[in-house]
Amino acid sequence: MEMDDYDDWKIILWLILFLIFGIVIITCKPSPREYVMTVNGPESAGRMGITLEHEHILVDFIGADSTGYFRWNRDSVIEKMLPFVREAKENGVRTIVECTPEWLGRDPLLLKSLSRISGMNFITNTGYYGAVNNKFLPESFYRQSARELADKWINEAKNGIEDSGIRPGFIKIGVNPADTLSEDHRKIITAAGLAHLGTGLVIASHTGPDKPAFEQIGILRELGVDPSAFIWVHAQGGTVDGNIRAAREGAWISLDNIRKRSNLEPGAPNSPGWYADRILRLKEEGLLSRVLISHDSGWYDPAKPGGGTINGYNDIFESFIPVMKEKGFTEEEIDQILVKNPQGAFKVRIRKL
Ligand SMILES: [Zn+2]
């Protein structure tokens, strides 16, 4: 009898320990945090800081049939670009989204080295750029279905680009600015939608005018992808009404060619004043939370001696923010555009309708 009682107590003790252990495990399980994928791996979205969402370190325009890493020397590119990256850092920039796609000079190892030396975060991409009449598409593109392309991009997102181990943080594509998308470009946006559903990476599409923007959003919807997975790149090439409509649907409005342009009259199209007025219209509609801004600046061009002339990443801080303040934008609103909105756009999350 005594032995049996002892055994019973032992079982109860074990059960209690088991329960406590279970509760500890459940409560300690980290909640899924919001993250972005940088060239150095996942980073908390809250740590992105001031982000330039569309810039370039290097672009090679020679075309898909002739480009390759042999076209530039990484050390020379770093030597040339480092002062500009450091200057951006002095202006408070913590993250640069590098928008150069594969076949146009994308070089994840270059970005990783530059990140290590400068302390700047870089985000690189997967995807294909169809704009400029398919000059930057490889031959293999024409043999692959949208599903096969998506699988290639999903593989890069999961296993890294080539054998670098570096994973892309968004899908960068490009389409022609025509009123109707070509079959090839419908295939690219379809592949991007499928790749989004497989990875949660946001799609940034070089687009321009309203019509191709809405056609792409429509194709994404057919795939069950929410418009908040879509960044309308070069939305300044669309109408203000188009920008407002797309933003209401949830798309990101990327006004991304903001430069000093001291040759333009204040308020002339593409001047800082003109960009500020467009953002003001979006603000009046309650859509400031969908706006992204950048310079679309840089870049080292391997076809030019010494990489050519570089446009730095400072005009937003030196020329544009003062104009925004004159037009009544508060520090908080500027922070929303340069810090909070990029977090929302680039955090890795599948966005289904
Ligand atoms: Zn660009």
Side-chain angles (χ1 to χ4, degrees):
M1 279 303 276
E2 274 175 23
M3 261 325 264
D4 279 347
D5 278 344
Y6 178 69
D7 279 350
D8 283 348
W9 276 110
K10 236 167 77 173
I11 288 164
I12 289 164
L13 199 67
W14 273 113
L15 271 174
I16 290 167
L17 278 172
F18 187 73
L19 269 174
I20 291 170
F21 188 63
I23 288 163
V24 167
I25 292 274
I26 287 163
T27 51
C28 287
K29 192 177 163 233
S31 57
R33 67 191 179 106
E34 293 192 335
Y35 74 98
V36 293
M37 186 59 69
T38 74
V39 293
N40 300 312
E43 172 73 272
S44 163
R47 289 172 56 93
M48 285 171 84
I50 294 179
T51 298
L52 292 176
E53 54 92 32
H54 183 151
E55 306 295 343
H56 300 273
I57 294 297
L58 182 144
V59 187
D60 183 14
F61 293 101
I62 196 166
D65 54 0
S66 307
T67 187
Y69 295 129
F70 66 91
R71 297 251 308 147
W72 54 91
N73 173 291
R74 284 193 185 113
D75 291 338
S76 310
V77 180
I78 288 169
E79 197 186 320
K80 178 108 179 187
M81 297 308 295
L82 187 59
F84 297 97
V85 173
R86 286 205 166 126
E87 233 181 346
K89 217 174 159 216
E90 278 160 29
N91 276 321
V93 177
R94 290 292 167 267
T95 305
I96 291 180
V97 180
E98 216 272 355
C99 284
T100 302
E102 190 182 7
W103 305 108
L104 252 160
R106 179 187 66 168
D107 186 344
L109 288 173
L110 168 70
L111 298 181
K112 190 163 183 168
S113 297
L114 203 47
S115 175
R116 195 186 61 241
I117 297 165
S118 65
M120 183 72 78
N121 278 319
F122 285 98
I123 299 181
T124 188
N125 65 84
T126 189
Y128 281 174
Y129 186 90
V132 198
N133 299 317
N134 300 352
K135 183 181 178 188
F136 305 106
L137 295 176
E139 268 305 305
S140 59
F141 168 82
Y142 301 99
R143 295 190 299 273
Q144 288 175 309
S145 66
R147 181 71 259 173
E148 286 166 332
L149 280 173
D151 287 343
K152 175 189 164 5
W153 302 342
I154 292 168
N155 181 52
E156 284 197 339
K158 296 208 164 138
N159 302 313
I161 295 165
E162 292 138 11
D163 55 2
S164 68
I166 296 167
R167 295 161 68 183
F170 67 112
I171 301 160
K172 174 72 194 282
I173 60 168
V175 298
N176 276 348
D179 282 354
T180 311
L181 294 180
S182 66
E183 269 311 306
D184 289 333
H185 295 181
R186 290 179 67 85
K187 183 165 89 176
I188 290 175
I189 181 67
T190 303
L194 294 171
H196 171 77
L197 292 172
T199 60
L201 297 185
V202 72
I203 301 159
S205 178
H206 166 105
T207 297
D210 290 7
K211 281 187 177 166
F214 286 103
E215 194 175 346
Q216 290 176 92
I217 290 169
I219 290 170
L220 292 177
R221 281 186 182 284
E222 282 166 26
L223 294 167
V225 176
D226 191 89
S228 62
F230 183 78
I231 300 174
W232 177 357
V233 176
H234 307 319
Q236 67 273 11
T239 65
V240 66
D241 291 337
N243 286 180
I244 289 167
R245 202 177 116 211
R248 280 211 186 105
E249 291 189 36
W252 298 95
I253 307 304
S254 174
L255 304 168
D256 45 31
N257 198 221
I258 299 174
R259 309 259 183 100
K260 197 173 283 174
R261 293 202 176 82
S262 28
N263 57 326
L264 292 178
E265 292 289 314
N270 298 313
S271 65
W274 180 88
Y275 274 102
D277 283 341
R278 179 157 296 203
I279 300 172
L280 203 54
R281 282 287 289 120
L282 286 151
K283 177 181 151 183
E284 284 161 6
E285 300 289 332
L287 296 167
L288 207 58
S289 65
R290 310 316 295 170
V291 175
L292 299 168
I293 61 171
S294 218
H295 305 96
D296 191 5
S297 204
W299 47 72
Y300 189 100
D301 182 342
K304 293 182 178 161
T309 310
I310 312 298
N311 290 305
Y313 312 106
N314 298 317
D315 288 0
I316 282 180
F317 307 97
E318 288 168 5
S319 308
F320 188 57
I321 288 178
V323 173
M324 286 187 85
K325 285 185 176 163
E326 274 168 35
K327 292 192 186 272
F329 285 95
T330 64
E331 290 284 354
E332 207 186 339
E333 287 166 340
I334 294 165
D335 190 74
Q336 162 108 45
I337 295 170
L338 283 171
V339 179
K340 290 203 183 76
N341 292 351
Q343 293 173 11
F346 288 90
K347 71 183 172 197
V348 181
R349 188 171 61 83
I350 296 170
R351 297 154 225 196
K352 283 186 188 160
L353 271 180

